[in-house]
Amino acid sequence: MKTKSFIAVSLTILCTLLLPGCKNNRNNPDNPQSIIGTTARPGWTKPDIYDMTSSMTAIIKVDMTLTYSAKQLSEADYHQSDNDMLAAFEGENCIGVAEQKNNMFFLYISAPKENTEVQLRFYSDALRNIYIANESLTFSNDACIGTILYPYTPKFELAK
């Protein structure tokens, strides 16, 4: 009887010690692969500019060191590529897809009305994840956000 109790207690302790190792390692700095996802490149497409009544532009720089440590990015072999995408959304409606040049994104946003909340989404081909800017933009006709010298650099968070 004592042997069975000892075995049961031992198994309970062993399981308790091993269970934390089963956690999701998505943001574990000791596991560089933890920041690499499995999301395929999205099919975001530019809207028909003739469907919208007004537009604004944004010059955006993506800095993933605002999201992950330099060590995590280095160990995951992160780099920007031509397959990365940045797009603007009103809810689930894509209202602009950026062109990338020299590691900056040039975004033309078309919206049907003023004061529309615009959410930026970034797809990293190297990390195979979609990220969402932690702040939304407020659409304003003919506005320009960011410049070549001082691009808008939002912090992105992993999309859930």
Side-chain angles (χ1 to χ4, degrees):
M1 212 52 160
K2 286 186 178 187
T3 305
K4 287 183 181 178
S5 288
F6 176 76
I7 292 173
V9 169
S10 298
L11 285 173
T12 303
I13 292 171
L14 183 62
C15 288
T16 304
L17 293 174
L18 291 177
L19 279 178
C22 297
K23 286 183 182 175
N24 182 349
N25 285 323
R26 292 289 293 159
N27 289 310
N28 179 353
D30 297 326
N31 181 3
Q33 297 302 311
S34 68
I35 66 173
I36 298 176
T38 59
T39 304
R41 189 171 195 259
W44 300 331
T45 57
K46 293 180 182 181
D48 185 353
I49 60 171
Y50 300 107
D51 289 343
M52 305 297 175
T53 57
S54 54
S55 65
M56 68 183 267
T57 58
I59 300 172
I60 301 165
K61 180 176 178 166
V62 174
D63 183 355
M64 291 306 287
T65 63
L66 299 174
T67 305
Y68 297 115
S69 72
K71 179 181 177 187
Q72 284 176 300
L73 293 170
S74 174
E75 290 177 356
D77 194 25
Y78 170 74
H79 56 279
Q80 272 192 297
S81 82
D82 291 340
N83 289 324
D84 291 347
M85 293 182 77
L86 187 126
F89 287 81
E90 175 188 17
E92 292 302 312
N93 185 28
C94 183
I95 58 174
V97 177
E99 291 186 29
Q100 184 180 180
K101 292 183 182 165
N102 299 324
N103 289 331
M104 286 208 280
F105 291 90
F106 297 85
L107 181 61
Y108 178 79
I109 304 168
S110 298
K113 61 183 185 240
E114 287 282 326
N115 299 319
T116 299
E117 289 297 309
V118 176
Q119 178 189 66
L120 298 177
R121 297 181 192 176
F122 171 68
Y123 172 75
S124 168
D125 189 59
L127 300 178
R128 295 190 304 273
N129 279 313
I130 294 175
Y131 299 87
I132 298 173
N134 66 347
E135 292 181 4
S136 61
L137 302 174
T138 302
F139 181 86
S140 180
N141 191 36
D142 294 332
C144 184
I145 298 172
T147 66
I148 297 285
L149 293 176
Y150 302 103
Y152 176 62
T153 309
K155 179 179 179 183
F156 285 93
E157 298 171 352
L158 186 63
K160 295 180 172 136

